[in-house]
Amino acid sequence: MSFPFKTSLNMSTLFPFKLDVTRQIDVAAEAGYEGIELWVRDIDTYLAAGGSLNNLRQRIEQSGLTFANAIAFWKWVDSDASEREKGFEHAKREL
């Protein structure tokens, strides 16, 4: 079946399995998705463990996937002003 858009797997679907980002890519590709939506925090964990953005990009491309989106949420609407400020700083870093 052909769609007018690429089907992408949002990694929220796999939260219960606690997969690292490389395994997430493998699962999305094995399941037949065309794209992947990774969480910024998972990318950060991958980078902190010594991975690189270049290697991550290559792995996604080699798997046949398209990087569709990076997912992140921030506390930018918190009722507490200091939490809101932290949320904006967090957003600036991730964007």
Side-chain angles (χ1 to χ4, degrees), residues 15-94:
F15 274 167
F17 302 102
K18 298 180 171 108
L19 304 174
D20 67 34
V21 74
T22 57
R23 185 64 185 127
Q24 292 174 21
I25 293 166
D26 294 343
V27 168
E30 290 167 12
Y33 286 92
E34 298 169 289
I36 191 167
E37 296 179 278
L38 296 173
W39 281 81
V40 172
R41 66 177 175 225
D42 292 341
I43 296 169
D44 285 344
T45 300
Y46 170 79
L47 296 174
S52 73
L53 289 177
N54 189 46
N55 287 345
L56 185 60
R57 179 183 51 79
Q58 288 176 352
R59 186 173 184 110
I60 291 169
E61 289 173 355
Q62 289 170 352
S63 72
L65 296 170
T66 299
F67 182 75
N69 189 30
I71 309 163
F73 290 102
W74 318 288
K75 292 185 167 189
W76 62 274
V77 294
D78 200 281
S79 61
D80 180 285
S82 66
E83 287 299 313
R84 249 190 338 269
E85 183 59 34
K86 288 178 193 173
F88 278 117
E89 291 305 314
H90 187 187
K92 287 177 191 176
R93 184 184 69 77
E94 289 189 345

